[in-house]
Amino acid sequence: RQHPGEAVMVVCHGGVIRVILSLLLKLPLPAMTAFEVDYASVTVADCREDRAILQLLNHTPWRPGL
């Protein structure tokens, strides 16, 4: 809310990412344990006035074989 229309980057551990996603997506925290969040992965959420939309989850194009 402090940065409307701006991109904001948060760098943190996977568990914190799950909690933030749980709050943004209004999902119960236990449901978020099903989401895999690898080291150095990228997750993108589009936060709007009335909802958040998950655009990218656990993106790791630099990992071999993916």
Side-chain angles (χ1 to χ4, degrees):
R1 292 181 183 165
Q2 294 177 357
H3 301 278
E6 296 179 5
V8 177
M9 184 172 98
V10 177
V11 179
C12 56
H13 292 279
V16 177
I17 293 169
R18 288 185 187 96
V19 170
I20 291 170
L21 288 175
S22 174
L23 294 170
L24 288 175
L25 300 173
K26 299 177 182 160
L27 295 171
L29 187 56
M32 299 306 294
T33 60
F35 289 172
E36 186 174 338
V37 180
D38 289 328
Y39 296 124
S41 66
V42 175
T43 296
V44 177
D46 182 9
C47 299
R48 304 197 177 178
E49 190 72 26
D50 58 336
R51 64 186 170 170
I53 301 170
L54 190 58
Q55 299 288 342
L56 196 61
L57 175 67
N58 196 40
H59 184 57
T60 55
W62 45 86
R63 288 180 55 196
L66 298 178

